[in-house]
Amino acid sequence: MILNRYERMIAKRYLLPTKGEGFIFVVAGFSIGAVALGVAALIIVMSVMNGFRAELFDKITGLNGHAIIQGYEGRLDDWEQIAETARKTPGVINATPLIEQPLMASANGRVEGVLVRGNTPEDIRTNPTLNANVKAGDLRAITPGSGQVAIGARLAEALGAYPGSEIQLISPEGRSTPVGTLPRIVTYTVGAVFEIGVYEYDNAFVIMPMRDAQDLLLLGDQVGMVEVQTSDPDKVDAIIAPLQSIVRGKGIIIDWRQMNSALFEALEVERVAMFVILCIIILVAAFNIASSLIMLVRAKTRDIAILRTMGATRRAMMRIFMTVGVTIGVVGIMVGALLGAIFLFFRQGVVNFVQLVTGQNLWDPSVRFLSELPSKTDPLEVTVIVLVALLLSSIATFFPARRAAATDPVQVLRYE
């Protein structure tokens, strides 16, 4: 929208308060605030939702891979051949054996349910998700035959264990006696404590070398599953499709979407719903802009009539009032983007402050899955939010501007 010199001068004058127009300016200020709050809320909510998905995806697939080939009854025969075939499949980066078994753990007179994971020594040493979140101890101590394990931070708190403590793992697969099967109880030393940031992992995982897990569970040379890492998680279905014929009759293949389908689908539905709901805030702000412009047009009816008699065209009046309304919208968008950025930068501090003031735990990891409020801002989504806010502001501005352009100077100045 190109304005000439006098149009810019008039638009600037209408944007600033003059005597007797303080109320109109206050309404315009509320409009700017409403747009700012709507834009800020959208940016904050969408960034947090994206952060949730990204954090959960990275940590879940970092420990479980993009897909698993799971044997029937928890045992996978010929796993070496299956893993080798998977590694040769186009799009597969790596395939490693894995054992997972729910057991009981005991320490200091406390008993907790745990999920024992048997990984290869190489996987324990090189797994980036695990190695980046060690809080105490050393993963290098977790070697076959060492009798040492790594446990989650919240499990360590529940058992009162720390590096150097002893814990007992209780397996129902024990030796048979005349009075029945006796549980198998094996003592291990805690070699490391990790905190992934996902409550379920930190509260239950006990990680040990593959060989030790096989001995504990009496599996011999068998494993429970093969973990598969792919080059493109979004195309995991197509990548692992050739493995279906090899696994048939021995087990099933489950990708990361199936393992966490309810969680990720709920996040996606909530993300769309929040976008639509928060757009309503911007729509309300757009109505405020329209209200302030309508009041401005009514207050400036005589000025408009005089400008028309001096040669100003209807289009010039349209441009002037469209500029006023769009400027209010743009200022609100800029303020909202700044507020959103500030909130996201200090997001965890804000959460902690609110918890301190209210005395309520707003971020219970057992409910929220993650230990801290995540954030990941998508520039494309921010662009869409800005464009939506600008579009709604422009639409709300159009009708008052059209009313100003339709002013008949003869009717207004007839009795002047």
Side-chain angles (χ1 to χ4, degrees):
M1 188 184 303
I2 302 176
L3 279 70
N4 57 38
R5 184 177 179 182
Y6 90 88
E7 290 172 353
R8 287 196 300 271
M9 180 191 70
I10 296 172
K12 182 178 179 181
R13 183 174 178 181
Y14 286 174
L15 281 168
L16 300 176
T18 57
K19 186 177 180 180
E21 296 173 357
F23 183 72
I24 297 174
F25 181 73
V26 170
V27 174
F30 282 133
S31 302
I32 292 175
V35 173
L37 289 176
V39 170
L42 263 175
I43 291 175
I44 292 168
V45 169
M46 300 307 290
S47 296
V48 169
M49 296 298 293
N50 289 337
F52 256 116
R53 189 183 187 281
E55 286 287 317
L56 286 172
F57 176 79
D58 290 343
K59 292 177 178 180
I60 288 173
T61 59
L63 288 181
N64 295 326
H66 299 148
I68 59 170
I69 304 171
Q70 185 171 7
Y72 293 132
E73 298 182 357
R75 295 172 183 254
L76 187 63
D77 297 322
D78 301 328
W79 66 266
E80 297 96 336
Q81 180 183 355
I82 293 174
E84 185 63 27
T85 303
R87 293 187 193 103
K88 295 178 180 178
T89 302
V92 174
I93 297 175
N94 195 18
T96 57
L98 179 66
I99 294 173
E100 275 193 1
Q101 183 67 38
L103 298 178
M104 299 296 292
S106 174
N108 301 312
R110 309 173 190 178
V111 179
E112 295 288 336
V114 299
L115 185 63
V116 172
R117 284 175 61 98
N119 293 92
T120 63
E122 181 183 0
D123 195 20
I124 295 175
R125 289 195 305 269
T126 61
N127 187 289
T129 302
L130 193 59
N131 280 268
N133 294 283
V134 176
K135 296 301 179 182
D138 191 348
L139 285 178
R140 290 175 294 183
I142 316 300
T143 56
S146 65
Q148 299 201 44
V149 297
I151 64 175
R154 297 189 181 278
L155 177 60
E157 293 175 6
L159 293 175
Y162 51 87
S165 299
E166 290 187 345
I167 65 172
Q168 291 78 43
L169 295 181
I170 307 168
S171 171
E173 296 291 336
R175 59 188 179 87
S176 298
T177 67
V179 295
T181 301
L182 294 179
R184 180 177 172 82
I185 303 176
V186 181
T187 300
Y188 295 91
T189 302
V190 177
V193 175
F194 59 85
E195 186 175 10
I196 302 298
V198 178
Y199 178 81
E200 292 183 353
Y201 295 170
D202 297 334
N203 193 53
F205 272 14
V206 175
I207 296 177
M208 64 174 61
M210 179 71 64
R211 183 71 262 172
D212 292 356
Q214 290 173 328
D215 292 341
L216 172 64
L217 300 172
L218 304 177
L219 291 176
D221 291 330
Q222 293 180 319
V223 301
M225 61 192 73
V226 171
E227 177 186 272
V228 179
Q229 293 280 352
T230 64
S231 58
D232 189 349
D234 293 325
K235 297 180 180 178
V236 64
D237 291 341
I239 292 174
I240 64 176
L243 299 175
Q244 295 287 355
S245 58
I246 301 172
V247 179
R248 189 175 294 112
K250 302 176 183 178
I252 58 175
I253 301 179
I254 307 173
D255 62 40
W256 65 271
R257 292 191 186 93
Q258 295 169 319
M259 287 187 282
N260 307 278
S261 59
L263 177 60
F264 283 103
E265 286 177 8
L267 283 176
E268 191 63 29
V269 170
E270 186 175 356
R271 182 168 166 270
V272 174
M274 291 303 295
F275 182 85
V276 173
I277 291 171
L278 292 174
C279 277
I280 296 176
I281 297 178
I282 300 179
L283 182 60
V284 172
F287 287 142
N288 286 339
I289 294 175
S291 300
S292 63
L293 283 182
I294 290 172
M295 295 173 64
L296 181 62
V297 169
R298 289 181 64 85
K300 298 296 184 180
T301 299
R302 187 171 179 275
D303 293 358
I304 295 170
I306 293 173
L307 288 170
R308 288 294 311 281
T309 59
M310 293 175 63
T313 64
R314 292 178 182 270
R315 288 191 177 184
M317 293 295 100
M318 280 282 292
R319 287 195 295 268
I320 290 170
F321 283 93
M322 285 291 293
T323 299
V324 173
V326 171
T327 301
I328 292 173
V330 169
V331 172
I333 291 169
M334 293 173 63
V335 173
L338 181 61
L339 288 175
I342 293 173
F343 182 92
L344 291 173
F345 185 79
F346 296 104
R347 63 188 182 279
Q348 195 58 42
V350 173
V351 173
N352 294 337
F353 176 75
V354 174
Q355 290 182 153
L356 180 65
V357 171
T358 61
Q360 299 294 322
N361 184 7
L362 302 179
W363 202 257
D364 185 355
S366 64
V367 177
R368 309 294 183 185
F369 291 97
L370 301 179
S371 301
E372 293 186 351
L373 181 66
S375 172
K376 182 180 180 182
T377 304
D378 184 351
L380 180 60
E381 284 188 349
V382 173
T383 302
V384 171
I385 291 170
V386 169
L387 291 177
V388 167
L390 192 58
L391 176 63
L392 292 177
S393 300
S394 300
I395 293 174
T397 302
F398 176 78
F399 295 101
R402 186 177 179 183
R403 176 69 183 85
T407 300
D408 186 355
V410 175
Q411 294 294 330
V412 175
L413 300 177
R414 175 177 293 176
Y415 301 106
E416 292 291 334

Coordinates of all heavy atoms in Angstrom, one line a residue, residues 34 37-43 45-46 49 268-285 385 388 392:
A34 N -4.3 -6.8 22.8 CA -5.0 -8.1 22.5 C -4.3 -8.8 21.4 O -4.1 -10.0 21.4 CB -6.5 -7.8 22.1
L37 N -1.1 -10.3 22.8 CA -1.3 -11.5 23.6 C -1.7 -12.7 22.8 O -1.2 -13.8 23.1 CB -2.4 -11.2 24.7 CG -2.0 -10.2 25.8 CD1 -3.3 -9.9 26.7 CD2 -0.9 -10.8 26.6
G38 N -2.5 -12.5 21.8 CA -2.9 -13.6 20.9 C -1.7 -14.2 20.2 O -1.5 -15.4 20.1
V39 N -0.8 -13.3 19.6 CA 0.3 -13.7 18.9 C 1.3 -14.4 19.8 O 1.9 -15.5 19.5 CB 1.0 -12.6 18.1 CG1 2.4 -13.0 17.6 CG2 0.1 -12.1 17.0
A40 N 1.6 -13.8 21.0 CA 2.5 -14.4 21.9 C 2.0 -15.8 22.4 O 2.8 -16.7 22.5 CB 2.6 -13.5 23.1
A41 N 0.7 -15.9 22.7 CA 0.2 -17.2 23.2 C 0.3 -18.2 22.1 O 0.7 -19.4 22.4 CB -1.3 -17.0 23.5
L42 N 0.0 -17.9 20.8 CA 0.2 -18.8 19.7 C 1.6 -19.3 19.6 O 1.9 -20.5 19.5 CB -0.3 -18.2 18.4 CG -1.7 -18.6 18.0 CD1 -2.1 -17.8 16.8 CD2 -1.9 -20.1 17.8
I43 N 2.6 -18.3 19.6 CA 4.0 -18.7 19.4 C 4.5 -19.6 20.6 O 5.2 -20.6 20.4 CB 4.8 -17.4 19.3 CG1 4.6 -16.7 18.0 CG2 6.3 -17.7 19.4 CD1 5.3 -15.4 17.9
V45 N 2.6 -21.5 22.7 CA 2.0 -22.8 22.8 C 2.5 -23.7 21.7 O 2.8 -24.9 21.9 CB 0.4 -22.7 22.7 CG1 -0.2 -24.0 22.5 CG2 -0.1 -22.0 23.9
M46 N 2.6 -23.2 20.4 CA 3.1 -24.0 19.3 C 4.5 -24.4 19.5 O 4.9 -25.5 19.2 CB 2.9 -23.3 18.0 CG 1.5 -22.9 17.7 SD 0.3 -24.3 17.7 CE 0.8 -25.2 16.3
M49 N 4.5 -27.2 22.2 CA 4.0 -28.4 21.6 C 5.1 -29.1 20.7 O 5.3 -30.3 20.8 CB 2.7 -28.2 20.9 CG 1.6 -27.7 21.7 SD 1.1 -28.9 23.0 CE 0.4 -30.2 22.0
E268 N -0.6 -34.3 18.5 CA -0.9 -33.7 17.2 C -2.3 -33.1 17.3 O -2.5 -32.0 16.8 CB -0.8 -34.7 16.1 CG -0.9 -34.1 14.7 CD 0.3 -33.2 14.4 OE1 1.4 -33.4 15.0 OE2 0.1 -32.3 13.6
V269 N -3.3 -33.8 17.8 CA -4.7 -33.3 17.9 C -4.7 -32.1 18.8 O -5.3 -31.1 18.5 CB -5.6 -34.4 18.5 CG1 -7.0 -33.8 18.9 CG2 -5.8 -35.6 17.5
E270 N -4.0 -32.1 20.0 CA -3.9 -31.0 20.9 C -3.3 -29.8 20.2 O -3.7 -28.7 20.4 CB -3.2 -31.4 22.1 CG -3.2 -30.3 23.2 CD -2.6 -30.8 24.5 OE1 -2.1 -31.9 24.6 OE2 -2.5 -29.9 25.4
R271 N -2.3 -30.1 19.4 CA -1.6 -29.0 18.7 C -2.5 -28.2 17.8 O -2.5 -27.0 17.7 CB -0.4 -29.6 18.0 CG 0.5 -28.6 17.2 CD 1.8 -29.3 16.8 NE 2.5 -28.6 15.8 CZ 2.4 -28.6 14.5 NH1 1.5 -29.5 14.0 NH2 3.1 -27.9 13.7
V272 N -3.2 -29.0 17.0 CA -4.2 -28.4 16.0 C -5.3 -27.6 16.8 O -5.7 -26.5 16.4 CB -4.8 -29.4 15.1 CG1 -5.9 -28.8 14.2 CG2 -3.7 -30.0 14.2
A273 N -5.8 -28.3 17.8 CA -6.9 -27.7 18.6 C -6.4 -26.3 19.2 O -7.2 -25.3 19.2 CB -7.4 -28.6 19.7
M274 N -5.3 -26.3 19.8 CA -4.7 -25.1 20.5 C -4.5 -24.0 19.4 O -4.8 -22.8 19.7 CB -3.4 -25.4 21.2 CG -3.6 -26.3 22.4 SD -4.8 -25.6 23.6 CE -3.9 -24.2 24.2
F275 N -4.1 -24.4 18.2 CA -3.9 -23.3 17.2 C -5.2 -22.7 16.8 O -5.3 -21.5 16.8 CB -3.3 -24.0 15.9 CG -3.0 -23.0 14.8 CD1 -1.8 -22.3 14.8 CD2 -3.9 -22.8 13.8 CE1 -1.5 -21.4 13.8 CE2 -3.6 -21.9 12.8 CZ -2.5 -21.2 12.8
V276 N -6.3 -23.5 16.7 CA -7.6 -22.9 16.3 C -8.1 -22.1 17.5 O -8.6 -21.0 17.2 CB -8.5 -24.1 16.0 CG1 -10.0 -23.5 15.8 CG2 -8.1 -24.8 14.7
I277 N -8.0 -22.6 18.7 CA -8.6 -21.9 19.8 C -7.9 -20.5 20.0 O -8.5 -19.5 20.3 CB -8.5 -22.7 21.1 CG1 -9.4 -23.9 21.0 CG2 -8.8 -21.9 22.3 CD1 -9.2 -25.0 22.1
L278 N -6.5 -20.5 19.9 CA -5.8 -19.3 20.2 C -5.9 -18.3 19.0 O -5.8 -17.1 19.2 CB -4.3 -19.6 20.4 CG -4.0 -20.4 21.7 CD1 -2.6 -20.8 21.8 CD2 -4.4 -19.5 22.9
C279 N -6.3 -18.8 17.8 CA -6.6 -17.9 16.7 C -7.8 -17.1 17.0 O -8.0 -15.9 16.5 CB -6.8 -18.7 15.4 SG -5.2 -19.1 14.6
I280 N -8.7 -17.6 17.9 CA -9.9 -16.9 18.3 C -9.5 -15.6 19.1 O -10.2 -14.6 19.0 CB -10.9 -17.8 19.1 CG1 -11.3 -18.9 18.2 CG2 -12.0 -17.0 19.6 CD1 -12.2 -19.9 18.9
I281 N -8.4 -15.7 19.8 CA -8.0 -14.6 20.6 C -7.6 -13.4 19.6 O -7.9 -12.3 19.8 CB -6.8 -14.9 21.5 CG1 -7.2 -16.0 22.5 CG2 -6.2 -13.7 22.2 CD1 -6.1 -16.4 23.4
I282 N -6.9 -13.8 18.6 CA -6.5 -12.8 17.6 C -7.7 -12.3 16.8 O -7.8 -11.1 16.5 CB -5.5 -13.4 16.5 CG1 -4.2 -13.9 17.3 CG2 -5.1 -12.4 15.5 CD1 -3.2 -14.5 16.4
L283 N -8.7 -13.1 16.6 CA -10.0 -12.7 16.0 C -10.7 -11.6 16.9 O -11.2 -10.6 16.4 CB -10.9 -13.9 15.8 CG -12.2 -13.6 15.1 CD1 -12.0 -13.0 13.7 CD2 -13.0 -14.8 14.9
V284 N -10.7 -11.9 18.2 CA -11.3 -10.9 19.1 C -10.5 -9.6 19.1 O -11.1 -8.5 19.1 CB -11.3 -11.5 20.6 CG1 -11.7 -10.4 21.6 CG2 -12.2 -12.7 20.6
A285 N -9.2 -9.7 19.0 CA -8.3 -8.5 18.9 C -8.7 -7.8 17.6 O -8.7 -6.5 17.6 CB -6.9 -8.9 18.9
I385 N 1.7 -17.7 11.8 CA 1.0 -17.0 12.8 C 1.0 -15.5 12.5 O -0.1 -14.9 12.7 CB 1.7 -17.3 14.2 CG1 1.5 -18.7 14.6 CG2 1.2 -16.3 15.3 CD1 2.3 -19.1 15.8
V388 N -1.5 -14.9 9.6 CA -2.9 -15.0 10.1 C -3.3 -13.8 10.8 O -4.4 -13.2 10.6 CB -3.1 -16.3 10.9 CG1 -4.4 -16.3 11.7 CG2 -3.0 -17.5 10.1
L392 N -6.2 -11.2 9.6 CA -7.4 -10.8 10.4 C -7.4 -9.3 10.7 O -8.5 -8.7 10.7 CB -7.4 -11.6 11.7 CG -7.6 -13.1 11.5 CD1 -7.5 -13.8 12.9 CD2 -8.9 -13.5 10.9

